[in-house]
Amino acid sequence: MTDWTETELSTLRRAYASGTTRVSYDGKSVDYGSAEDLLARIRTIERAIAGTTRPLPVAGLAGFSRGDR
């Protein structure tokens, strides 16, 4: 389960693109130690969101007949 939203992710991306490490959204403010820390958070959120929106695999049951029975 993830608590992150696309809005938070886009806010982090904008901060990274502008070169700042302080991010504010929804009345909250976070100061990341470096651009690498911010990028690591972005990647973590991207993976979490992608993992929750990926369609589930379809499982099937294979059958066969030898034809002689």
Side-chain angles (χ1 to χ4, degrees):
M1 187 173 103
T2 179
D3 295 330
W4 295 299
T5 65
E6 288 290 340
T7 303
E8 292 168 324
L9 181 57
S10 64
T11 301
L12 293 172
R13 287 176 176 158
R14 279 194 305 272
Y16 183 77
S18 69
T20 185
T21 57
R22 186 169 184 82
V23 181
S24 299
Y25 56 88
D26 294 337
K28 302 172 189 172
S29 186
V30 178
D31 194 7
Y32 292 91
S34 67
E36 290 80 22
D37 292 341
L38 179 56
L39 184 59
R41 175 61 63 187
I42 291 169
R43 298 296 181 238
T44 299
I45 294 172
E46 287 173 340
R47 284 191 303 272
I49 290 174
T52 60
T53 60
R54 217 177 17 207
L56 295 175
V58 176
L61 180 62
F64 66 94
S65 172
R66 291 174 51 177
D68 62 347
R69 296 180 190 216

